[in-house]
Amino acid sequence: MTVEINGVRHDREPRPGQCLRTFLRDEGCFGVKKGCDTGDCGACTVHVDGVPVHSCVYPAFRARGRRVTTIEGLAGDSLHPVQQAFLDAQGFQCGFCTAGLIMTTAALDSSQRASAARTFKGNLCRCTGYRAIEDALGGVRNVSDRSPGAPAGPQVVTGTARYTFDLDVPGLLHMKVLRSPHAHARILAVDASAALAVPGVEAVLTHADAPAGYFSTAQHEHPSEDPADTRVLDDVVRFAGQRVAAVVATSEAAAEEGCRLLRVSFEVLPAVLTADEAMARGAPLVHGDKGPAHGIARSGANVAGELHASLGDVEAGFAEADAVYEETFRTPRVQHASLETHGAVGWLDADGRLVIRSSTQTPFLTRRSLATLFGLPADRVRVLAGRVGGGFGGKQEMLVEDLVALAVLRTGRPVKHEYTRAEQFTSATTRHPFTVTLKAGARSDGTLTALRLRVVTETGAYGNHGPAVMYHGVHESLAVYRCPNKQTDAWSVYTNTVPAGAFRGYGLGQVTFAVESVLDELARMLDLDPIRMRERNIVRPGEPLTAPGDHADDLTIASYGLDQCLSHLRAAAAAETPAAPAGWQVGEGLAIAMIAAGPPGGHYADATATLCADGHFEIGVGTAEFGNGSTTVHAQIAAEVLGTTPDCILIRQSDTDVVAHDTGAFGSTGVVVAGRAVLEAATALRQEIEARGGSLREVARQAGGRLVREGHFGGTPRSVAFNAQWFRVAVDPRTGELRILRSVHAADAGVVLNPLQCRGQVEGGVAQALGATLSEHVDLDDSGGVTTTGFRQYHLPTYADVPHTEVHFADTHDTIGPLGAKSMSESPFNPVAPALANALRDATGVRFTDLPLTRDRIWLGLEAARRS
């Protein structure tokens, strides 16, 4: 067929059933993104004869004789006004959704712009919280000298930023995976004869073809942090959705057909689908064939990890309390929902080395894992990341790279494996579901006397991150409060369900939901102001951060702004708020949270600073960019030290062949660890330039054309960041509908190096947390399979759902972080759920203990209270 694409005639027949999205990408239009392939997210939006369409559900043959415009063709000699507006406002973070948003916006008339909440119901953004997008629509310029824009901004708004699969690989094979229909089963046989007879099928991979070694999909600097309980392909499947076999073919269609024709014989085994079932005496075992040698605490009891510890005497603390409150809280599974799904493409380079290009937060750790797993020297493996389309902790895993590596090594051909959106729900990882019981006691003046915490968290079928999330969740949530008597009993439990993993907050949000809800109830029992209750008990500068258990001793308060955060909330509570509809109940609530800047035990970053022959500077650093903004801040740090501007700094990153080691972009370390290494390298380079004297070009010439200096930071000591959230809400008691009348967030981020970007991290974190609080939940059926397999069932927050959040920063200077900065990527998430639940309690008089706080759940709770 003939179609005009961005003003150029193309003559090619689409494949049978091909959608316009894949057709356009086949023609080199990589700005057209895949986020869902069901018409729900808008990342694939293009214009057909000037009309915006979701190209993933638009049949390619319908474009015959039509004029198609993609993001690449929107600009002429200069940026389209909408592209310029998104660039000026920095209306993006990871940028994966941005092309679709720009294409939608460019087709709007004035009336459609005026009703943006309705207009953008088909465009999702997981990163920004939508405020920056609204600024772009309104022509607001946020980028300034104080807050320079992202270096990749021009590429993001023109669709030329390159994500994982935005490249043409000659001879590429495609992989599809057959997944288990059973929660627990042994594979007795795989008949691949029919699959191998499909034209185009090159290989079928089963457990017989895979390495026998065990590993964890979780990626940490120290692998011993996670149970080694996983194989590339196993002869026992432990959750519905686990890999059974992989088919590699010359096309996706052939690979899919090959999967359909595989015949697998299973021996179905007993399964445990809840933590209660798993912890019952005599329960079927998920990993009964393993033990302490695999890093599992008690495989015979389905316990991946556990903690039992105390400080002081909690019973004596409760005895001296004037008020005691105890309650149990539950949080569900939540999907990361990064718009770029998990995926990787691999090949052998000219020297026969294995190369993996992946959507990952951990290139160096993934290289180490692959080298170990396949018995290769580290220098025979290269891992690199392009721009990553969102992470939120979910890409601190090795979920696809190992299988791609196996296929590349087996076939000698380039291989691509890209998750569908359904696979992202059924076979990737989720936020850990927690059941938290907290008992707390306090004197009449509000002073805490005892805190007793019981936590059960489900790690799912595999222990990736399970024990670490449990340990982290029970630490800072208690350490933020001074209390002489604390006790913790916690278990990370295996079940035959989709594995949980790293997720923004790393367990703190779940436990903080319980702690801050109970603190609120104690304040009510004692007739105390909830802010004053917290002020009386929060940890102070110079005091130790104590929680039960053997925790790392390198955590310190290197700057303190929690008191300022609470002052901001007090001012918010005193201010006027828009009135609620007649008959609605109004309430307000707050919560606080503290988080460590980085994981314990070391998080390493090496950086280089280079003066080039032409006088410009290059920074080499391993941190991947996925909307976390580290690239921008690294350029700012280097520019500040080297006496130049960020646009004169070129950042080279996230490629194990190009830059030095970096543990990864997780644990809130992009600024405070990698940024510290950049600071050290830039400082060393500046000192060398000053010692040599002369112009920059002369100094470079003296050094042989390039002058390079290195910097390193080992992630210790660690500081803490503080956050506080406040809501005023209105609730319709007749329907359970909840409206947020005002949202205020106060953060102690140390010296805020880029206010625009830091505010965006806060707004995005609050928005994501609101999704987890109000609507998001991954559901399982009676057989353990995930039933929420798409955005239409899952209900991510849309443009219309997210309120404006006023963001305030404390005025502090951290003594550990680079140039006084602290982390602020994960922490805004953590106080949101309890603050909203406390506001709901204030409005209705009902304490809701289970998330999410959906309208039906609120109505049922109110109805139960009316009947009691």
Side-chain angles (χ1 to χ4, degrees):
M1 74 177 186
T2 299
V3 58
E4 180 185 309
I5 302 174
N6 298 328
V8 178
R9 172 174 167 155
H10 291 247
D11 293 294
R12 184 174 69 81
E13 286 299 316
R15 297 187 297 272
Q18 186 173 25
C19 70
L20 183 58
R21 180 188 70 80
T22 58
F23 181 87
L24 291 170
R25 289 184 64 85
D26 286 347
E27 297 301 296
C29 299
F30 294 129
V32 184
K33 297 294 187 262
K34 167 191 164 183
C36 65
D37 271 351
T38 53
D40 295 326
C41 77
C44 65
T45 303
V46 301
H47 296 173
V48 177
D49 289 340
V51 177
V53 301
H54 288 180
S55 62
C56 69
V57 292
Y58 190 99
F61 76 86
R62 289 182 56 191
R64 185 185 306 272
R66 297 181 182 271
R67 176 172 47 87
V68 176
T69 305
T70 73
I71 186 70
E72 292 95 338
L74 192 62
D77 295 334
S78 60
L79 292 181
H80 186 280
V82 175
Q83 292 173 313
Q84 188 65 56
F86 270 76
L87 187 62
D88 291 343
Q90 192 152 312
F92 59 87
Q93 285 183 23
C94 85
F96 200 78
C97 67
T98 305
L101 283 160
I102 288 174
M103 295 305 293
T104 299
T105 305
L108 300 180
D109 58 29
S110 58
S111 64
Q112 290 170 319
R113 281 181 176 244
S115 58
R118 178 177 179 81
T119 299
F120 287 101
K121 65 181 180 180
N123 289 85
L124 296 176
C125 175
R126 189 56 155 169
C127 296
T128 65
Y130 298 101
R131 192 273 315 156
I133 295 168
E134 182 178 354
D135 284 352
L137 295 177
V140 177
R141 181 179 176 85
N142 293 322
V143 173
S144 66
D145 291 341
R146 177 76 173 87
S147 293
Q155 290 74 46
V156 168
V157 302
T158 56
T160 56
R162 291 296 176 245
Y163 295 81
T164 307
F165 296 111
D166 295 344
L167 74 168
D168 183 24
V169 181
L172 183 66
L173 299 178
H174 301 265
M175 177 188 291
K176 289 294 180 178
V177 175
L178 180 69
R179 298 187 180 276
S180 172
H182 305 295
H184 199 191
R186 187 179 307 280
I187 300 172
L188 301 177
V190 179
D191 181 356
S193 56
L196 288 167
V198 173
V201 170
E202 297 286 324
V204 174
L205 304 173
T206 72
H207 61 86
D209 304 294
Y214 289 97
F215 66 100
S216 175
T217 63
Q219 300 298 295
H220 283 113
E221 183 66 42
H222 304 293
S224 59
E225 291 185 33
D226 303 283
D229 55 11
T230 305
R231 292 183 62 201
V232 177
L233 290 164
D234 207 329
D235 60 344
V236 175
V237 289
R238 295 177 174 84
F239 71 98
Q242 183 171 333
R243 308 165 176 175
V244 172
V247 177
V248 183
T250 55
S251 69
E252 288 192 13
E256 288 171 350
E257 180 64 12
C259 282
R260 281 190 287 269
L261 294 177
L262 289 173
R263 296 293 176 260
V264 183
S265 299
F266 292 100
E267 176 192 353
V268 178
L269 303 173
V272 287
L273 302 181
T274 68
D276 287 344
E277 291 178 11
M279 297 179 76
R281 186 181 299 274
L285 300 180
V286 180
H287 289 280
D289 58 332
K290 305 179 185 73
H294 294 83
I296 300 172
R298 288 189 291 132
S299 59
N302 288 320
V303 175
E306 58 189 328
L307 172 65
H308 307 285
S310 61
L311 299 172
D313 185 339
V314 292
E315 294 303 329
F318 290 130
E320 65 177 277
D322 295 307
V324 176
Y325 183 82
E326 183 175 19
E327 186 56 271
T328 298
F329 301 82
R330 296 174 180 84
T331 63
R333 295 173 178 84
V334 175
Q335 235 295 317
H336 305 81
S338 308
L339 287 194
E340 182 187 42
T341 60
H342 284 273
V345 58
W347 62 89
L348 299 177
D349 68 12
D351 294 325
R353 295 193 313 151
L354 176 65
V355 180
I356 300 290
R357 179 182 170 96
S358 173
S359 182
T360 180
Q361 296 173 228
T362 58
F364 284 87
L365 301 190
T366 300
R367 178 183 67 167
R368 181 186 65 191
S369 294
L370 291 174
T372 301
L373 193 56
F374 292 99
L376 298 171
D379 62 2
R380 298 295 295 170
V381 181
R382 176 188 179 191
V383 176
L384 67 153
R387 192 171 179 89
V388 176
F392 315 113
K395 292 171 182 175
Q396 192 194 339
E397 305 273 359
M398 190 172 72
L399 298 182
V400 294
E401 297 89 343
D402 57 323
L403 202 52
V404 169
L406 176 64
V408 170
L409 294 172
R410 177 56 59 94
T411 66
R413 300 269 302 277
V415 177
K416 168 188 173 183
H417 180 30
E418 182 179 16
Y419 271 21
T420 64
R421 181 55 58 185
E423 285 178 309
Q424 197 74 15
F425 279 101
T426 63
S427 306
T429 60
T430 71
R431 189 185 191 216
H432 285 75
F434 270 60
T435 300
V436 182
T437 300
L438 180 66
K439 182 177 181 180
R443 299 191 188 98
S444 59
D445 65 356
T447 301
L448 289 171
T449 60
L451 295 168
R452 183 165 66 199
L453 185 66
R454 184 184 190 274
V455 170
V456 177
T457 172
E458 291 185 42
T459 190
Y462 293 94
N464 47 299
H465 297 284
V469 164
M470 177 200 71
Y471 282 117
H472 190 241
V474 302
H475 184 252
E476 287 104 286
S477 55
L478 292 187
V480 71
Y481 287 112
R482 291 179 287 114
C483 180
N485 308 299
K486 300 176 181 178
Q487 179 179 319
T488 297
D489 291 285
W491 296 262
S492 174
V493 180
Y494 284 116
T495 56
N496 291 114
T497 60
V498 59
F503 191 103
R504 200 174 200 165
Y506 213 67
L508 275 179
Q510 296 95 313
V511 181
T512 297
F513 174 52
V515 172
E516 292 298 300
S517 296
V518 167
L519 261 288
D520 218 59
E521 289 297 331
L522 275 180
R524 291 180 181 279
M525 294 173 69
L526 296 169
D527 195 26
L528 294 173
D529 172 71
I531 294 180
R532 182 65 188 132
M533 177 79 177
R534 287 165 175 82
E535 287 176 330
R536 179 169 290 278
N537 291 287
I538 54 176
V539 67
R540 297 290 182 180
E543 294 180 340
L545 298 170
T546 62
D550 184 18
H551 299 282
D553 60 2
D554 66 336
L555 195 61
T556 185
I557 301 174
S559 63
Y560 187 83
L562 182 53
D563 53 348
Q564 295 179 50
C565 292
L566 288 171
S567 295
H568 283 300
L569 299 196
R570 178 175 281 111
E576 292 187 9
T577 297
W584 289 46
Q585 299 168 321
V586 177
E588 60 187 54
L590 76 140
I592 66 169
M594 179 179 75
I595 191 170
H603 189 110
Y604 307 136
D606 295 304
T608 58
T610 302
L611 171 62
C612 299
D614 62 359
H616 83 271
F617 297 100
E618 290 183 2
I619 296 296
V621 63
T623 306
E625 176 61 61
F626 55 96
N628 49 337
S630 58
T631 307
T632 311
V633 173
H634 293 164
Q636 286 184 256
I637 292 170
E640 176 74 16
V641 173
L642 294 169
T644 185
T645 55
D647 59 320
C648 293
I649 306 290
L650 175 64
I651 303 290
R652 300 192 182 279
Q653 62 194 142
S654 55
D655 184 336
T656 60
D657 264 15
V658 174
V659 294
H661 179 81
D662 185 278
T663 296
F666 64 88
S668 303
T669 57
V671 172
V672 297
V673 177
R676 176 74 177 269
V678 169
L679 176 67
E680 299 295 329
T683 300
L685 180 61
R686 185 197 66 201
Q687 292 170 345
E688 184 64 20
I689 292 170
E690 291 174 347
R692 288 173 178 256
S695 70
L696 293 178
R697 289 174 184 266
E698 290 171 347
V699 171
R701 182 179 54 77
Q702 294 170 18
R706 292 171 66 86
L707 180 62
V708 183
R709 288 296 177 264
E710 299 174 350
H712 171 81
F713 186 57
T716 185
R718 299 175 295 150
S719 186
V720 290
F722 299 99
N723 296 76
Q725 175 70 42
W726 178 89
F727 289 109
R728 184 169 285 146
V729 304
V731 181
D732 185 347
R734 299 159 295 185
T735 65
E737 180 180 353
L738 181 150
R739 293 184 189 173
I740 296 173
L741 301 178
R742 193 174 178 207
S743 170
V744 178
H745 193 99
D748 173 17
V751 174
V752 179
L753 300 180
N754 189 308
L756 163 63
Q757 191 164 272
C758 197
R759 183 180 70 164
Q761 289 294 314
V762 172
E763 291 167 338
V766 171
Q768 190 176 42
L770 282 172
T773 303
L774 293 173
S775 63
E776 296 181 42
H777 49 99
V778 174
D779 294 335
L780 309 181
D781 60 24
D782 292 340
S783 300
V786 173
T787 59
T788 40
T789 57
F791 287 147
R792 207 161 297 185
Q793 302 99 339
Y794 186 67
H795 304 303
L796 283 181
T798 66
Y799 187 102
D801 297 325
V802 180
H804 286 193
T805 292
E806 304 165 33
V807 179
H808 302 273
F809 293 113
D811 182 10
T812 64
H813 185 287
D814 200 71
T815 59
I816 296 174
L819 306 181
K822 292 200 283 193
S823 59
M824 198 46 57
S825 55
E826 293 184 86
S827 56
F829 189 107
N830 298 325
V832 170
L836 196 65
N838 289 340
L840 179 59
R841 164 70 168 89
D842 190 50
T844 65
V846 178
R847 170 57 63 187
F848 289 85
T849 58
D850 293 4
L851 296 180
L853 302 173
T854 55
R855 181 187 296 193
D856 57 339
R857 183 169 281 170
I858 293 174
W859 184 87
L860 289 169
L862 297 180
E863 186 68 13
R866 283 191 286 264
R867 291 177 178 176
S868 62

